[in-house]
Amino acid sequence: MNLINCKNLQMHGITVQNSPKLTVYISQSNGVILNNLKVLNPKWGQNTDGIDISGSRNVLVYNCTVDVGDDGICMKSSSKKDDDSVQLENIIIAKNTVFNAHGGFSIGSNTDGGMNNIFVTDCTFDGTDIGVRVKSNEGIGGKVSNIYIENLTMRNIVNEAISLSSTYENRQVGRTPDNNVKGEKIPEYFNFYFKNIVCTNAETAVDLSGLANSPIHDLFFENVKLTANRGFLAENAKNIMMKNTQINSEGNLFKLKNAENVIYNGKVVK
């Protein structure tokens, strides 16, 4: 289902199954409610995203169930020529359940149109590859800010409970990541708020991978409890504040590289 330029659209009680590609795709729309949808694809289905919201405003995704082969509920934003406004904003993702997926809640990889004011709450991610997944790279990156994520339950997470990457590997063949790029459309993630989140088991608790000249910055964690084999990884990041946060890992709790002002329950991590 590819729905473009819609206004005041409501979809309720629909099952969409076995799509060959992106399953429910909302683009350039305003005033959309997706309620009680079931989106079901085989876990081996490449690019079979569940629900994608692209370049839209004022969208509610509520009480949906997603079990797919790629990202579960994903935000996308591509820039328009001669238009500097934020292309995706005012989004609420609430009371959804995601099973098999590359990411339970995802952002990217196209973020060059900008994203602002996204609220994710009361969701369950069970068996997803990554719980919260933010991904982009040079050439398709932009500002992503004011992201509020709270009241999440995550379990059986294959890789990271929370992952923010500015060096996403979905790039042209033969290109390699450059952690000090200076071109246009560079990812910048800031003002992310994580609150009341529990992950009972994952491979990695948190993995932040920014760029040297565009570090991930101003992330806030409160009442967060993550249990994983590996702890908190951060490269090219700064101003990470954790309050009443518990990270349980088998190895080192923190592994930092070019990371500044990382504070864990009142103590600076070095």
Side-chain angles (χ1 to χ4, degrees), residues 75 77 88 107-108 110-112 114-118 134-136 141-147 164 186-192 217:
M75 307 293 105
S77 178
L88 182 105
I107 289 176
N110 290 83
T111 61
D112 52 294
M115 299 187 187
N116 177 60
N117 199 23
I118 301 173
V134 182
K135 58 188 190 295
S136 194
K143 292 185 178 181
V144 179
S145 64
N146 299 323
I147 312 299
L164 280 67
I186 304 303
E188 183 183 6
Y189 311 139
F190 60 100
N191 291 350
F192 277 64
H217 63 96

Side-chain angles (χ1 to χ4, degrees), residues 1 30 33 48 66 68 70 130 135 139 148 150 164 192 205 237 239 254 256 264 268:
M1 303 183 68
N30 192 341
I33 298 175
T48 57
V66 178
V68 295
D70 210 298
I130 299 172
K135 58 188 190 295
Y148 302 85
E150 64 179 42
L164 280 67
F192 277 64
N239 301 336
F254 289 92
L256 308 180
Y264 181 59
V268 178

Side-chain angles (χ1 to χ4, degrees), residues 14-258:
I14 296 173
T15 297
V16 188
Q17 188 167 348
N18 295 335
S19 172
K21 202 177 179 184
L22 308 181
T23 312
V24 178
Y25 186 82
I26 308 295
S27 179
Q28 301 169 41
S29 296
N30 192 341
V32 177
I33 298 175
L34 306 181
N35 179 24
N36 194 28
L37 269 61
K38 291 184 179 179
V39 184
L40 309 173
N41 293 321
K43 65 181 299 183
W44 44 261
Q46 187 176 12
N47 293 326
T48 57
D49 289 14
I51 298 172
D52 282 8
I53 310 299
S54 177
S56 298
R57 293 179 172 84
N58 307 316
V59 178
L60 170 65
V61 181
Y62 181 80
N63 196 33
C64 296
T65 300
V66 178
D67 193 339
V68 295
D70 210 298
D71 285 322
I73 301 172
C74 186
M75 307 293 105
K76 299 181 182 295
S77 178
S78 296
S79 60
K80 294 181 179 180
K81 294 181 179 180
D82 303 322
D83 188 349
D84 294 330
S85 63
V86 175
Q87 300 301 314
L88 182 105
E89 62 182 350
N90 304 335
I91 312 294
I92 297 176
I93 311 296
K95 294 187 179 297
N96 302 287
T97 300
V98 181
F99 294 103
N100 287 314
H102 287 179
F105 170 75
S106 297
I107 289 176
S109 56
N110 290 83
T111 61
D112 52 294
M115 299 187 187
N116 177 60
N117 199 23
I118 301 173
F119 183 49
V120 182
T121 186
D122 296 304
C123 292
T124 298
F125 305 145
D126 189 347
T128 61
D129 290 351
I130 299 172
V132 176
R133 185 187 192 197
V134 182
K135 58 188 190 295
S136 194
N137 60 46
E138 76 279 8
I140 58 172
K143 292 185 178 181
V144 179
S145 64
N146 299 323
I147 312 299
Y148 302 85
I149 301 175
E150 64 179 42
N151 303 327
L152 295 190
T153 299
M154 296 187 281
R155 49 183 175 262
N156 305 315
I157 303 301
V158 178
N159 297 309
E160 299 90 353
I162 298 172
S163 172
L164 280 67
S165 174
S166 300
T167 58
Y168 178 56
E169 294 180 355
N170 184 19
R171 62 187 68 246
Q172 296 176 358
V173 175
R175 295 190 65 190
T176 56
D178 181 355
N179 286 338
N180 194 29
V181 294
K182 297 180 180 179
E184 297 181 350
K185 298 185 178 182
I186 304 303
E188 183 183 6
Y189 311 139
F190 60 100
N191 291 350
F192 277 64
Y193 301 85
F194 300 93
K195 186 176 181 181
N196 301 333
I197 296 174
V198 174
C199 178
T200 53
N201 56 309
E203 176 59 29
T204 302
V206 178
D207 191 348
L208 309 178
S209 180
L211 298 169
N213 64 328
S214 182
I216 297 168
H217 63 96
D218 297 294
L219 271 57
F220 303 89
F221 297 79
E222 184 176 358
N223 299 333
V224 173
K225 183 177 181 180
L226 308 176
T227 300
N229 293 331
R230 299 199 300 169
F232 192 109
L233 315 178
E235 180 175 359
N236 298 319
K238 64 180 181 180
N239 301 336
I240 313 299
M241 310 295 177
M242 287 167 275
K243 179 181 179 182
N244 194 26
T245 293
Q246 183 177 346
I247 298 175
N248 303 313
S249 69
E250 296 181 357
N252 294 331
L253 198 59
F254 289 92
K255 184 177 180 181
L256 308 180
K257 181 179 179 181
N258 192 27

